[in-house]
């Protein structure tokens, strides 16, 4: 079976984990957390990066920092992972879902203003497949209506929009290092903070509501409980695993792009014949080959293709069931406007195996199998 995903293991992870253990520092904010955080800051150009236990937790932290509370509304696409909504719903806010653009599967920036009410507090763009949302327009709307922008850049490390790293354009950016992402620590994430004035409070909330970070820097002589918070620090063991990968992120990224580009070339004929659609990357967007998806005619064709690929030992999978159709989505959210594309396009989308080290031979086998399904070999 060709797996859909194989969690990245690049080689030095276990050496670094051993080092963390031998350093007798395996709790949060040790050497490897420090290395990863500084690397993220340098690579993305953000003011401050903080490792967290997940992207979901980074988003929760952002929701607390922006003071989202009961009765507030937060605008996001319905075509996203549950965490995008959960982080805000947990604070008592309502998720206001808007339709997506069929070309990128990202929030349609032209539908956002219509969803704004006097309760709206934030816009949450989700950069699907590591391809950026139309951030200039989104930031302009946010500025005009005085809204926060929290980027769900879970899939977006190493991607950019007009030269700016995803996750650094809005007030906050949330990254994921879950094992399904391009770089991983098993479970983990990071919060990117644009504005220096928000750093201190983020440190406090992340550290159980204490000023312990200040204490460690010698800025206070005792640490104490200063506000409500939680515990969002990952163990340095996990950070050690991640560091091995960040260290050679450019090489990993290049290799993933090779996989992506070969898929694209191999399947271009099917697109030209109008049988499938391939991903679209708008001008000004640099992507990170997080995902390779195709879109087929409809749900029935997708089900048949998944079956066919499975019979040929290829694991291909669909993606999000639109949140507004889920039980919790109905309870905690509402869809603003018409669902022209969210449901229809999500039913057409099929993700192909994608991981570091998926070699040429396998990709050609996969694409040939798809061509056979369409009677094109
Ligand atoms: C993976 C993912 C998340 C959640 O990341 P975790 O680190 O598992 O919490 C959130 N949003 C999107 C778009 C994702 O792809």
């Amino acid at each position: 079976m060709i797996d859909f995903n194989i969690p990245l293991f690049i080689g030095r992870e276990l050496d670094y984990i051993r080092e963390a253990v031998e350093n007798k520092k395996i709790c949060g904010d040790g050497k490897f957390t420090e290395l990863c955080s500084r690397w993220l800051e340098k690579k993305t150009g953000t003011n401050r990066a903080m490792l967290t236990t997940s992207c979901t937790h980074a988003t929760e932290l952002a929701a607390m920092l922006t003071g989202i509370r009961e009765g507030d509304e937060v605008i996001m696409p319905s075509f996203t992972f549950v965490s995008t909504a959960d982080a805000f719903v947990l604070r008592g806010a309502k998720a206001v879902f808007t339709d997506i653009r069929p070309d990128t599967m990202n929030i349609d920036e032209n539908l956002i203003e219509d969803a704004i009410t006097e309760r709206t507090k934030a816009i949450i763009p989700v950069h699907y497949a590591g391809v950026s949302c139309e951030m200039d327009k989104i930031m302009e709307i946010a500025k005009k209506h005085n809204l926060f922008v929290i980027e769900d850049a879970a899939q977006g490390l190493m991607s950019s929009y007009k030269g700016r790293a995803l996750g650094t354009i809005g007030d906050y950016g949330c990254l994921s290092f879950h094992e399904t992402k391009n770089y991983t620590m098993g479970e983990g994430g990071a919060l990117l903070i644009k504005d220096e004035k928000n750093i201190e409070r983020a440190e406090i909330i992340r550290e159980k509501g204490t000023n312990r970070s200040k204490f460690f820097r010698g800025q206070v002589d005792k640490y104490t409980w200063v506000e409500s918070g939680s515990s969002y620090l990952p163990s340095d063991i996990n950070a050690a695993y991640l560091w091995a990968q960040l260290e050679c992120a450019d090489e990993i990224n290049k290799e993933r792009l090779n996989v992506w580009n070969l898929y694209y070339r191999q399947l271009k004929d099917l697109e030209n014949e109008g049988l499938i659609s391939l991903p679209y990357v708008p001008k000004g967007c640099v992507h990170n080959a997080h995902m390779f998806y195709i879109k087929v005619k409809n749900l029935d064709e997708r089900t048949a293709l998944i079956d066919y690929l499975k019979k040929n030992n290829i694991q291909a999978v669909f993606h999000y069931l639109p949140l507004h159709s889920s039980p919790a989505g109905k309870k905690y959210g509402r869809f603003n406007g018409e669902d022209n594309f969210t449901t229809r396009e999500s039913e057409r989308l099929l993700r192909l195996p994608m991981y570091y080290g998926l070699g040429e031979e396998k990709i050609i086998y996969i694409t040939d199998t798809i061509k056979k399904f369409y009677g094109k070999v």
Side-chain angles (χ1 to χ4, degrees):
M1 193 71 165
I2 302 177
D3 293 305
F4 169 68
N5 176 58
I6 296 178
L8 181 59
F9 181 81
I10 197 75
R12 301 190 70 180
E13 286 89 342
L14 297 178
D15 296 338
Y16 290 151
I17 288 176
R18 170 176 288 276
E19 189 183 327
V21 172
E22 285 172 358
N23 286 346
K24 299 188 175 53
K25 179 74 185 175
I26 58 173
C27 69
D29 286 342
K31 171 185 167 177
F32 291 102
T33 304
E34 184 71 15
L35 284 169
C36 292
S37 312
R38 301 298 84 78
W39 184 94
L40 285 168
E41 285 157 11
K42 195 152 169 260
K43 194 76 185 173
T44 66
T46 189
N47 210 319
R48 186 68 191 273
M50 289 178 189
L51 284 196
T52 57
T53 27
S54 66
C55 175
T56 309
H57 278 167
T59 315
E60 269 179 48
L61 192 43
M64 290 185 214
L65 285 162
T66 46
I68 301 288
R69 57 195 173 93
E70 184 107 34
D72 290 345
E73 292 182 355
V74 175
I75 298 171
M76 64 185 72
S78 170
F79 183 72
T80 183
F81 190 52
V82 295
S83 305
T84 318
D86 262 329
F88 300 97
V89 162
L90 208 54
R91 316 301 309 159
K94 184 173 199 118
V96 176
F97 303 116
T98 61
D99 209 6
I100 51 167
R101 293 166 47 145
D103 57 355
T104 56
M105 305 298 285
N106 284 334
I107 191 166
D108 185 336
E109 64 279 2
N110 295 313
L111 299 176
I112 293 174
E113 269 195 302
D114 186 60
I116 295 173
T117 70
E118 72 268 16
R119 293 168 173 254
T120 307
K121 286 285 151 51
I123 306 169
I124 323 299
V126 180
H127 306 296
Y128 188 68
V131 175
S132 182
C133 298
E134 198 38 72
M135 291 306 292
D136 278 349
K137 177 81 196 254
I138 292 172
M139 295 309 292
E140 185 193 310
I141 296 168
K143 195 166 173 211
K144 181 170 157 200
H145 296 272
N146 197 22
L147 305 174
F148 291 106
V149 174
I150 299 161
E151 298 175 67
D152 182 335
Q155 304 173 9
L157 183 57
M158 303 294 275
S159 293
S160 60
Y161 172 80
K162 300 186 181 175
R164 298 162 77 186
L166 300 192
T168 66
I169 303 164
D171 300 279
Y172 299 99
C174 307
L175 306 180
S176 175
F177 299 116
H178 184 261
E179 71 164 37
T180 51
K181 304 304 199 276
N182 294 20
Y183 310 91
T184 182
M185 52 201 280
E187 300 276 356
L191 179 69
L192 307 184
I193 302 173
K194 183 159 81 176
D195 200 332
E196 190 168 359
K197 72 176 195 297
N198 296 319
I199 295 173
E200 187 176 332
R201 240 191 109 222
E203 283 179 344
I204 290 170
I205 297 173
R206 179 173 171 271
E207 261 281 19
K208 298 107 187 151
T210 70
N211 57 355
R212 188 158 152 182
S213 301
K214 261 188 154 168
F215 170 73
F216 280 132
R217 285 194 299 266
Q219 292 165 324
V220 287
D221 57 9
K222 268 196 219 69
Y223 79 84
T224 184
W225 188 28
V226 290
E227 74 159 299
S228 65
S230 190
S231 182
Y232 292 130
L233 297 74
S235 156
D236 219 46
I237 297 178
N238 297 62
Y241 192 98
L242 179 64
W243 176 241
Q245 306 184 355
L246 294 186
E247 229 184 9
C248 41
D250 288 315
E251 179 202 314
I252 295 164
N253 191 50
K254 205 168 123 202
E255 156 71 20
R256 289 189 75 105
L257 285 165
N258 286 339
V259 170
W260 198 98
N261 290 329
L262 182 57
Y263 263 131
Y264 196 92
R265 285 200 300 277
Q266 289 295 115
L267 293 170
K268 190 67 190 152
D269 284 349
L270 290 183
E271 180 173 63
N272 292 343
E273 291 181 51
L275 293 165
I276 63 171
S277 323
L278 296 180
Y280 167 68
V281 181
K283 213 164 146 272
C285 299
V286 174
H287 76 100
N288 59 0
H290 172 61
M291 186 189 301
F292 195 92
Y293 67 79
I294 61 173
K295 287 199 268 178
V296 303
K297 197 166 78 204
N298 55 30
L299 183 57
D300 287 344
E301 187 172 293
R302 184 179 73 181
T303 307
L305 179 53
I306 291 177
D307 274 0
Y308 185 77
L309 291 171
K310 197 168 159 197
K311 284 199 193 92
N312 287 282
N313 293 312
I314 299 162
Q315 189 188 20
V317 296
F318 54 83
H319 215 180
Y320 312 128
L321 303 166
L323 295 185
H324 74 281
S325 312
S326 67
K330 286 179 186 153
K331 189 166 163 197
Y332 299 117
R334 70 176 166 87
F335 195 94
N336 189 71
E338 294 287 311
D339 171 10
N340 290 320
F341 298 111
T342 300
T343 301
R344 195 184 86 188
E345 298 301 300
S346 69
E347 289 180 346
R348 296 177 58 206
L349 186 141
L350 181 66
R351 296 181 292 159
L352 303 179
M354 179 80 208
Y355 52 84
Y356 177 87
L358 176 68
E360 183 171 326
E361 198 181 315
K362 287 198 176 87
I363 298 165
I364 294 191
Y365 171 70
I366 295 163
T367 52
D368 281 350
T369 307
I370 296 171
K371 287 177 195 172
K372 255 186 227 153
F373 175 81
Y374 286 104
K376 293 291 165 188
V377 178

